[in-house]
Amino acid sequence: MQPLPPRWLDKLATRICAPHLREELLGDLQERYALRYQKFGQQKAKLFYLKEVAALLRPSVIKRKSPEYPSIPFLSFEMIRNYFKIGSRVLLKNKGYSFIHLTGLSIGLWACMMVATVVIDSLSYDRKWSHANDVYRIISMNKAGAGLQERISSSPQLLAPELVKIYPEAVASSELSTTTRHFKFKKEDFNGVATQVLRADTSAWRIIDLKVLAGNPRDFVPGTNNLLISKSFADRFFPGQDPIGKIIQDIPKYGTKANDYQITGLIADLPYNSHLRADVVLLHINKPEPYEANGFITFSQNYIRMKPGTDMQAFTAKVNKWHQKFSKRTDEHGFEFQPMPDIYLHSDFAESQNVRGDARTIYIFSGIALLLLFIACVNFVNLSTAKAFARLKEAGVRRILSGSRSQLIIQLLTETLLLFGTAAIVATFLYFFSLKSVEQFLGHRLIETFTSNVPMAVDALAVVLLTALLTGLYPAWLISGFKPSNTLRGIFTSSASFRQNWLRKGLVVVQFSVSIVVLLATIVVWKQLNLMENKDLGYNTNNLLAIDNVSWDGKGDAFKGELLQIPGVVRASATLWVPTQGGGYMQREIEDPANSKQRIKVWYIAGDVDLPETMGLKLVKGRMFSHQFSTDALNADSLQKVSFEKFEQAQILQSSLLTASAAKALGVSKLDERIKNANTVPVGIIENFNNESLYEPIKPTIILAQRSPQYAGMLVRTQPGMEQRVSASIEKLWKQFYPAKLLEINNIEELLDKQYEAETRLHQLFMFFSGLTMFLSVLGIFGLVVQAAEQRSKEVGIRKVLGASVTGIVTMLSGDFVKLVVIAIVIASPLAWFGLDKWLQNYPYRTDIRWWMYVATGSTVLIITMLTVSFQAIRAALVDPVKSLRNE
Amino acid sequence: MRRSDLGEFEEIVLLAVAALAPGAYSVSIAEELENETGQTISTGAVHAALQRLEQKGYLSSYLGEATQERGGRRKRLFTVTAYGGKILHDARSVRNSLWNRITPAELSKMGLDFSNS
C-alpha cells in the first residue's frame, strides 16, 4: 500500500496552491511523503509534510494565473443594463411564476407597510413636543389589598406645584386633561358640536408647545372662560372672520344655563398624535394654595417638567420618601413618573384617558406582519430553488462562455430585485388606496405614513432592497454553484438537490405552522369575544337605556314621574352608577371580619329605591328596597348640605342590599342587623353580578339607596323592541324640562359591547391576517406543485403509458405536500396552545381551548391544501402522454 | 559579469539540475540537496527557485509521466538551457579566478594550504 499523507493537510495544500501548479506540486509533496515515510516512519513523515504545507505559503505558489481573456468588469454600466434586460425577459417569459411571486410579495410587503405604519404612528405619539423627554405625568399608586396594586393617572392637584417648589430639578408643572364639550353657535341649537377640549392651567405654556397665532392668550381674562381655539376650529366655524374676542356658548350637562366662553387666542393646531389631542384649549388659573397630604384632596392629571438629564429613579425615590414623612402614612401610597412618550401606549390602567393605544396589540401585529413577509419570502425562495433546475442549463452555458460565478449571481439577484421592485410598487399603490379604510377601521387618523413622510419612504425602500438581497442570495448561490460541465450533461450532485429539497420542505412546514397558529388564534379570540359578549352578567342587560349623569336641579322626581307615563317604559331609576362604569359610587376598604389584620375591598353602588328592580337583579334572601320603609332611602343631598357628620350618622343605619360575594366576604349570616365594619344594615342578599367589564372578576358590592339624588343618571327599562321609540319620547320630554341642557342616551347593550372593542378589533384583524397567511402559504404550495408536475411530466407520461390510473398519479404528486402539512399541524398545535393559553390568562372569565378547534383548523388547512394540490395534480395527470413524451 | 540575478540557492539548484539530468525534478533535487548539505529543504522552496530560474530562461521544463507514488499526477522535469549553462560557467569561472588569486601564504594562514601535505 502506498502511504498517503493526512487528508486534511492535503485539502489545505490544495486550497493554498494555485490551480495551475497543483498537479506538479501536490504530486511532489506526495512523493516526498512516501520517501520520508520509508526513511523515518509515519510520525516524522507527517511532521515533515506539515512543514512542507506551511512552506507553501509563498507568493509564487499562492498567486493565481491571470485569465487569458480579461472579462468585462461585471459592474460596468453596460453590464448592469444587460442584467436588467435579461432579467425582465426571463420574468416576462415565465409569466405564471412571476405572477405567483408578485402576488405573494406584494401582499407581504403591503401588510408589512400597513402594520409598520400603524406601529410607527403609535410610537410617534407625544414625541414631538419640545420638552417631550423631560415631561412626566405623575401617577398615584395604591398598594391596597393582598398584592394588588392600583395605579391611577391622576395625582393630588397641589402636589406638582409643591414638588417644583421643593426640588430644584423640577422646572415647571401644569394640570392638563381632555374632555368633550358641546359648543353651540346659535341660540336655538339643541345638540351642539361635540368638541375635544384640552383643559389646561396657565402654566401649560411651560410644559407643552402652544403656538399663538393671534390674540394674547397669556394674559388671562378673569371672570369668564378663556378659550383658545385652534386654526382648524377657527377655519371651520369662523371662516374669514377674526374670532378673537368672540363669545360662544356650550350646552352644559350640569348647569341650567349655557356657559359663556370668550375666545382669547388663536393657536396652531395641537398635534394629532398626542394623548392630549384636542380642538380647543380651555384655560383656567390655579390658586396658590399650600399642599396638604391628608383630608379631602382633589385629584387631577398633573405633568411635571424636569431639568434635562435628571435621574428619574433617584427622583422618584426621593419624592416618595419625602411624601411618606410629610403625610405620616405607611408606604401604601406612592407616586410614579410616567415619561410623556410612554403615555399613549402604556396606559392601560388609565380608563379616563380616551386617546390611548395598546402596546400588546402593537407587538402582536408587528409579529404577524413580519411573519407574512417571511412567508412571502419563503415562497420566493422555495419557488426559485424549485425552478433552479430549469435554469441550470442557462447557468451552465453562461459559465462556460467565461461568465464568472459572481456575474451569474448578480444576474439572478437582479431578477429578484426586479420582482421585489415591482412588488413594492404594487404594494405602495395598494397601501395608498387602503390607507383611508384602515384609518376608518382604527377609528383614528394616521399621521406618519410612507406616502407622506419622505425619510420613512427612503427607509422602507432600503428595507425592501435588503430583504430582496437576503431572499435572493440563497437561490442565486445555489444555481450558480453547480459545476457547469455537470449541468450541461444533466448531472446533478445528489447531495445538493437533496439538501435544497430538505430545505424547501422545512420552509413549507414553517409556513404552514405559522398559518395554523394564526388560524387557531382567530378561533380562540372569536370564542373569547363571544363569551364576553354573551355572558350572563347577573342582571338583565336587554331593553335598558341610560341617561348620562346630569344635575336634576330639583326636577328629578317630576321628570321621572313624566317619564314613567311614556308608553313602553316599564321602570326607571335615578342612579349614581351606570353599568360598565368603573368602580361605581365609591370603594371602601373594610376590615376583614375573619382576619383583623387584612382589609377587604368593597364596592358601593347607589341609586334610588327602584334601582335593583330596574336593573333586574335577582334576590336570594330577604327583600328588595321598598318605598314603604323610610329607612331604605337616604336623603343624601340635603343631609350633606347640612353637615357631613349628619350624613355619616344617617348612613350607619341605612338599609342596603349585599351581593352574595359581599355577604360572604363580610361574614353576614343574619339580615336586618347592623354590620359594624361596613356601617350598614343589610335587608336583602342578591345574586352576584358584574358591575364592571368582564376584564374584572365579580366584586363584593353593597347597594345603597338615596332619595331623589341631585347629580345622577337615569336607567330606563323599556318593553322589548321599544328602545328607539322610548328614546325619541325621552328627547321630547327633555326639551320641555331642560331646554338648554345636554342629553345623552345610551343603550346599555351597546355600552357593554363597546367595552370589548379591543377584542373585536383583534378578532377582525386576526381574521384578516389568517386569511392572508393561509392564502400566501397555499400560493406557495401551489407554485411548488406546478413545478413538481412540470419536472415530472415525463415520469407522469411514462406511468400513464404503462397503465397508471389518474388517481394514482394525483396521489403520487400530492402525497408529499399533504405529509408536510400534517407535520406542520403537529408542530403548530402545541405552540399555539402555549401562546393562546398565555393570552387567555389576562381574562378573569376565559374560554377554554378545546380539541375540536385543533380538528377544525387542521382539517380546514388540510382540505384547502388538498384542493389546491390536487387541482394542479389532476391537470398534470390528465395531460396526454403523447405530448409530454414527444420531445424526447 | 552579471551575477546579481543568480542567488546562491538558485545557483545550487541550477547545478543540481545539471548534475541530475535527465531525471531532474523538484523531488529528486530536494532529496539530493538534503543529502549534500545535511539540511532539510522544503519542496516549495525548490519549486519556487525552479520557477524563477525558468522565468529567467536558465531552465526549460516539460511534464513527465505520471507515477503511482504521486497519486497519478505528472511531474515537471527540468533541463538546463544553453543560456543557463553559460551562466553556470560564468559563475564558476569567477570563483575559479578568485581562488587562483589567493596567495599560498594566505592559504596556509587560513589552514587551507594543501600543497605541502
Side-chain angles (χ1 to χ4, degrees):
Chain A
M1 252 293 291
Q2 173 76 21
L4 285 173
R7 273 199 91 131
W8 65 275
L9 274 174
D10 234 10
K11 275 192 178 159
L12 188 64
T14 317
R15 273 281 162 86
I16 296 169
C17 199
H20 66 286
L21 298 175
R22 262 178 211 154
E23 183 169 10
E24 43 188 292
L25 250 178
L26 296 184
D28 287 351
L29 287 187
Q30 195 172 332
E31 197 180 336
R32 284 199 86 186
Y33 179 81
L35 282 172
R36 280 172 175 150
Y37 190 90
Q38 278 161 15
K39 251 195 252 172
F40 309 112
Q42 191 188 14
Q43 217 46 38
K44 267 205 158 171
K46 264 192 193 168
L47 199 68
F48 272 119
Y49 194 78
L50 181 67
K51 281 188 191 162
E52 290 273 21
V53 173
L56 286 182
L57 287 168
R58 54 178 77 231
S60 64
V61 176
I62 295 169
K63 198 178 165 217
R64 266 56 177 167
K65 208 177 180 178
S66 58
E68 243 169 300
Y69 308 102
S71 63
I72 306 164
F74 56 77
L75 278 180
S76 68
F77 173 72
E78 281 300 312
M79 280 315 284
I80 290 174
R81 207 175 64 173
N82 182 264
Y83 296 139
F84 276 97
K85 198 185 257 175
I86 294 188
S88 50
R89 278 184 197 160
V90 168
L91 294 181
L92 285 178
K93 197 178 148 211
N94 300 308
K95 282 201 188 70
Y97 283 101
S98 306
F99 182 74
I100 292 179
H101 278 322
L102 210 58
T103 320
L105 287 177
S106 306
I107 292 177
L109 284 176
W110 169 77
C112 258
M113 280 169 84
M114 214 65 246
V115 173
T117 308
V118 176
V119 172
I120 291 173
D121 189 74
S122 303
L123 292 177
S124 78
Y125 273 68
D126 291 312
R127 272 173 213 272
K128 286 273 171 66
W129 304 107
S130 43
H131 300 297
N133 292 324
D134 302 318
V135 172
Y136 298 83
R137 179 164 77 180
I138 306 178
I139 290 176
S140 316
M141 287 191 314
N142 189 7
K143 281 181 209 141
L148 284 171
Q149 197 182 46
E150 258 186 14
R151 300 163 85 208
I152 48 173
S153 60
S154 49
S155 52
Q157 192 182 18
L158 297 167
L159 173 73
E162 187 73 12
L163 291 181
V164 174
K165 244 185 270 168
I166 302 176
Y167 297 103
E169 58 263 53
V171 181
S173 76
S174 179
E175 210 189 303
L176 301 165
S177 59
T178 49
T179 53
T180 308
R181 295 256 158 122
H182 294 252
F183 287 112
K184 63 175 179 183
F185 299 90
K186 269 182 255 155
K187 261 226 150 64
E188 58 279 13
D189 194 352
F190 187 70
N191 292 317
V193 181
T195 309
Q196 285 282 329
V197 177
L198 173 64
R199 284 174 41 83
D201 61 19
T202 40
S203 47
W205 312 95
R206 306 188 60 193
I207 302 284
I208 56 172
D209 309 307
L210 297 173
K211 199 181 164 210
V212 180
L213 300 177
N216 290 315
R218 277 167 203 263
D219 305 333
F220 189 82
V221 183
T224 179
N225 288 311
N226 283 220
L227 193 69
L228 319 185
I229 63 172
S230 67
K231 184 81 177 44
S232 54
F233 188 82
D235 288 345
R236 202 168 138 210
F237 297 110
F238 303 101
Q241 302 169 45
D242 179 18
I244 307 296
K246 284 213 162 92
I247 288 174
I248 59 174
Q249 291 185 312
D250 72 348
I251 300 174
K253 258 183 181 179
Y254 295 105
T256 33
K257 270 200 335 208
N259 299 305
D260 286 346
Y261 292 78
Q262 188 182 350
I263 297 170
T264 59
L266 178 69
I267 53 170
D269 282 4
L270 285 162
Y272 186 84
N273 47 355
S274 161
H275 77 286
L276 299 172
R277 185 187 298 161
D279 304 316
V280 298
V281 179
L282 178 59
L283 273 191
H284 60 95
I285 282 192
N286 279 336
K287 285 179 206 138
E289 275 175 69
Y291 174 60
E292 278 175 47
N294 297 308
F296 276 100
I297 307 169
T298 319
F299 270 61
S300 58
Q301 277 212 120
N302 290 302
Y303 293 76
I304 191 163
R305 192 179 118 209
M306 308 298 294
K307 266 190 191 145
T310 310
D311 178 1
M312 282 319 280
Q313 228 172 341
F315 184 73
T316 311
K318 220 158 55 173
V319 168
N320 281 322
K321 220 172 154 192
W322 161 78
H323 194 261
Q324 264 171 43
K325 239 184 180 174
F326 184 80
S327 65
K328 302 186 188 71
R329 276 211 233 179
T330 45
D331 55 0
E332 285 180 346
H333 298 267
F335 301 104
E336 265 179 20
F337 295 88
Q338 187 180 29
M340 187 84 142
D342 281 6
I343 293 178
Y344 177 69
L345 277 185
H346 302 277
S347 294
D348 34 352
F349 57 90
E351 271 168 34
S352 57
Q353 181 185 323
N354 52 9
V355 181
R356 61 187 166 133
D358 179 13
R360 203 160 45 115
T361 317
I362 292 284
Y363 297 144
I364 292 178
F365 287 106
S366 7
I368 290 187
L370 284 181
L371 284 176
L372 264 183
L373 187 64
F374 171 75
I375 290 179
C377 290
V378 163
N379 274 352
F380 184 86
V381 170
N382 271 352
L383 269 180
S384 310
T385 49
K387 186 87 180 132
F389 291 99
R391 296 208 60 182
L392 282 178
K393 233 167 224 176
E394 179 202 337
V397 171
R398 274 170 166 277
R399 296 283 310 267
I400 279 180
L401 295 176
S402 84
S404 65
R405 184 172 179 187
S406 38
Q407 204 180 40
L408 191 55
I409 288 182
I410 288 191
Q411 172 65 54
L412 293 166
L413 277 182
T414 313
E415 278 164 36
T416 316
L417 213 61
L418 273 173
L419 264 176
F420 267 81
T422 322
I425 292 170
V426 175
T428 312
F429 271 105
L430 279 178
Y431 173 79
F432 187 73
F433 290 113
S434 59
L435 259 182
K436 269 261 139 34
S437 29
V438 171
E439 280 179 348
Q440 231 158 38
F441 173 73
L442 291 172
H444 61 82
R445 270 158 60 201
L446 293 167
I447 300 300
E448 311 282 358
T449 67
F450 287 110
T451 41
S452 68
N453 189 330
V454 176
M456 248 169 87
V458 172
D459 287 346
L461 196 69
V463 171
V464 170
L465 284 182
L466 197 70
T467 321
L469 206 68
L470 287 177
T471 317
L473 219 49
Y474 176 74
W477 175 81
L478 182 89
I479 294 174
S480 64
F482 286 105
K483 275 208 171 125
S485 50
N486 287 347
T487 55
L488 288 182
R489 274 181 288 164
I491 303 168
F492 310 118
T493 37
S494 58
S495 76
S497 67
F498 167 76
R499 218 181 313 141
Q500 61 126 334
N501 227 348
W502 181 86
L503 178 94
R504 218 184 317 157
K505 283 181 179 169
L507 287 176
V508 168
V509 170
V510 173
Q511 235 177 3
F512 271 86
S513 304
V514 171
S515 320
I516 291 162
V517 170
V518 179
L519 202 62
L520 264 172
T522 314
I523 298 182
V524 172
V525 173
W526 168 73
K527 261 203 79 189
Q528 175 67 19
L529 186 67
N530 229 5
L531 173 112
M532 297 211 287
E533 279 179 349
N534 296 332
K535 187 167 187 313
D536 181 14
L537 297 180
Y539 60 91
N540 185 1
T541 57
N542 299 321
N543 344 106
L544 201 53
L545 297 175
I547 297 171
D548 229 29
N549 274 12
V550 288
S551 63
W552 294 103
D553 306 326
K555 291 190 273 186
D557 285 336
F559 182 79
K560 193 174 155 188
E562 293 272 324
L563 179 71
L564 287 171
Q565 303 302 315
I566 295 175
V569 172
V570 180
R571 240 173 224 286
S573 157
T575 169
L576 280 79
W577 168 83
V578 176
T580 74
Q581 203 186 55
Y585 174 54
M586 64 175 176
Q587 296 170 29
R588 258 198 197 165
E589 282 169 42
I590 292 172
E591 199 176 281
D592 189 343
N595 178 1
S596 61
K597 275 184 193 159
Q598 290 269 321
R599 297 172 85 76
I600 42 174
K601 259 196 161 181
V602 176
W603 277 255
Y604 284 76
I605 284 175
D608 65 15
V609 174
D610 293 321
L611 178 66
E613 287 181 15
T614 310
M615 275 186 65
L617 296 171
K618 288 161 215 145
L619 196 66
V620 178
K621 204 174 156 191
R623 62 172 177 87
M624 288 285 195
F625 290 139
S626 156
H627 288 284
Q628 292 167 348
F629 299 87
S630 63
T631 46
D632 271 6
L634 201 68
N635 206 339
D637 292 316
S638 51
L639 277 172
Q640 252 170 338
K641 250 179 229 159
V642 178
S643 82
F644 191 70
E645 275 115 58
K646 276 220 164 142
F647 171 62
E648 290 228 305
Q649 266 173 11
Q651 251 192 338
I652 289 175
L653 290 172
Q654 195 192 349
S655 308
S656 66
L657 293 175
L658 304 187
T659 61
S661 59
K664 201 179 153 210
L666 294 169
V668 174
S669 48
K670 271 191 201 158
L671 293 173
D672 299 317
E673 211 168 80
R674 186 171 161 238
I675 320 169
K676 216 175 125 204
N677 296 338
N679 264 350
T680 175
V681 182
V683 295
I685 293 175
I686 51 171
E687 266 179 32
N688 282 332
F689 69 101
N690 277 90
N691 51 7
E692 284 185 50
S693 68
L694 289 171
Y695 298 122
E696 304 286 336
I698 280 183
K699 297 188 163 151
T701 306
I702 297 178
I703 300 177
L704 302 174
Q706 292 187 1
R707 193 159 292 130
S708 53
Q710 173 66 10
Y711 294 96
M714 183 86 75
L715 275 179
V716 182
R717 165 84 54 201
T718 71
Q719 276 165 10
M722 294 287 277
E723 295 92 334
Q724 294 274 330
R725 295 243 304 269
V726 168
S727 47
S729 314
I730 292 177
E731 254 173 68
K732 242 185 248 160
L733 189 64
W734 189 265
K735 263 184 216 173
Q736 285 170 26
F737 271 77
Y738 306 102
K741 207 186 279 260
L742 188 70
L743 167 71
E744 279 175 292
I745 305 179
N746 287 303
N747 195 326
I748 291 296
E749 249 182 307
E750 279 167 21
L751 277 187
L752 286 169
D753 283 349
K754 218 183 256 173
Q755 293 186 309
Y756 311 119
E757 234 174 311
E759 279 71 23
T760 314
R761 197 170 296 157
L762 201 67
H763 176 238
Q764 286 168 335
L765 277 171
F766 260 118
M767 274 211 309
F768 181 68
F769 276 126
S770 65
L772 271 189
T773 49
M774 214 39 234
F775 174 71
L776 285 185
S777 303
V778 165
L779 194 69
I781 219 171
F782 178 75
L784 286 181
V785 182
V786 172
Q787 179 57 36
E790 222 166 80
Q791 234 170 30
R792 296 168 81 172
S793 64
K794 259 171 215 157
E795 181 193 334
V796 170
I798 293 170
R799 276 174 192 271
K800 276 191 86 175
V801 170
L802 293 179
S805 66
V806 172
T807 346
I809 287 168
V810 170
T811 323
M812 179 195 85
L813 282 175
S814 50
D816 273 356
F817 296 104
V818 173
K819 249 183 260 161
L820 292 181
V821 173
V822 171
I823 294 175
I825 293 172
V826 171
I827 291 177
S829 303
L831 277 179
W833 181 82
F834 181 74
L836 290 168
D837 191 55
K838 227 171 164 196
W839 179 73
L840 286 175
Q841 296 298 329
N842 291 317
Y843 297 92
Y845 301 96
R846 49 182 170 265
T847 176
D848 41 358
I849 304 170
R850 295 275 183 79
W851 61 269
W852 63 259
M853 297 186 202
Y854 291 108
V855 175
T857 2
S859 44
T860 313
V861 173
L862 259 183
I863 288 170
I864 295 177
T865 314
M866 271 178 352
L867 281 178
T868 321
V869 172
S870 50
F871 171 72
Q872 188 55 34
I874 288 171
R875 242 173 60 164
L878 289 180
V879 168
D880 187 354
V882 174
K883 272 186 192 153
S884 59
L885 293 176
R886 190 160 48 188
N887 63 350
E888 197 70 341
Chain B
M1 220 203 61
R2 15 180 313 274
R3 272 217 51 209
S4 52
D5 61 347
L6 191 65
E8 197 226 3
F9 187 67
E10 286 179 14
E11 188 181 338
I12 294 178
V13 170
L14 192 55
L15 270 173
V17 173
L20 291 170
Y25 68 107
S26 31
V27 174
S28 63
I29 295 164
E31 291 286 323
E32 194 59 42
L33 291 181
E34 256 180 29
N35 286 340
E36 291 286 332
T37 62
Q39 283 171 326
T40 17
I41 288 171
S42 78
T43 322
V46 174
H47 191 269
L50 287 170
Q51 255 188 300
R52 274 202 304 279
L53 288 170
E54 194 177 6
Q55 252 170 32
K56 288 171 185 169
Y58 305 157
L59 289 178
S60 67
S61 72
Y62 63 95
L63 282 171
E65 81 286 3
T67 58
Q68 204 218 331
E69 64 266 26
R70 297 176 63 86
R73 300 181 182 93
R74 290 171 297 173
K75 54 180 135 184
R76 187 169 288 280
L77 289 159
F78 290 88
T79 50
V80 182
T81 60
Y83 181 48
K86 187 175 170 299
I87 290 291
L88 262 184
H89 190 262
D90 281 354
R92 185 179 181 175
S93 53
V94 167
R95 290 190 182 176
N96 278 347
S97 79
L98 285 173
W99 272 107
N100 289 339
R101 280 169 61 188
I102 304 173
T103 54
E106 279 299 312
L107 267 180
S108 63
K109 246 194 239 166
M110 289 156 64
L112 285 171
D113 185 8
F114 304 110
S115 57
N116 292 343
S117 61

